[in-house]
């Protein structure tokens, strides 16, 4: 889901370029935005998966919390959100 959401800004940017007739504009800004969206969504997905850690372990599912534990999963989520914040800042600079 995060990848699909992350592709949306890039696809929208490309579609807008086609409408306005510009083809030589850099894709740097929408790629930063897409990376921000992907890591932001992934960070929240890891948080939500923490609720199902016991279920995932008992049913053999390989979620991040089931594999690394809830405490490490929270650090992974923090890291993903940090990358998202950096990517959103980079988007602002690139745009």
């Amino acid at each position: 889901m995060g990848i699909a959401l992350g592709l949306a800004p890039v696809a929208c940017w490309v579609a807008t370029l086609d409408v306005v007739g510009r083809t030589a504009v850099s894709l740097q800004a929408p790629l930063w935005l897409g990376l921000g969206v992907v890591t932001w969504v992934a960070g929240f997905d890891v948080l939500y998966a923490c609720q199902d850690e016991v279920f995932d372990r008992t049913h053999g599912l390989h979620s991040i919390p089931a594999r690394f534990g809830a405490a490490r999963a929270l650090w992974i989520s923090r890291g993903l959100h940090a990358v998202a914040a950096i990517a959103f800042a980079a988007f602002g600079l690139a745009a």
Side-chain angles (χ1 to χ4, degrees), residues 28-61:
Q28 183 179 2
L31 288 175
W32 280 116
L33 183 58
L35 176 65
V37 170
V38 166
T39 53
W40 174 60
V41 171
F44 278 110
D45 282 346
V46 171
L47 288 177
Y48 293 137
C50 286
Q51 300 175 64
D52 300 324
E53 179 185 2
V54 174
F55 179 87
D56 291 353
R57 282 196 176 141
T58 57
H59 289 86
L61 299 174

Side-chain angles (χ1 to χ4, degrees), residues 5-15 27 30-35:
L5 290 172
L7 286 175
V10 179
C12 185
W13 189 278
V14 170
L27 283 175
L31 288 175
W32 280 116
L33 183 58
L35 176 65

Side-chain angles (χ1 to χ4, degrees), residues 58-78:
T58 57
H59 289 86
L61 299 174
H62 303 288
S63 67
I64 289 175
R67 181 172 182 166
F68 300 109
R72 286 189 183 147
L74 292 176
W75 279 105
I76 291 169
S77 178
R78 285 181 186 113

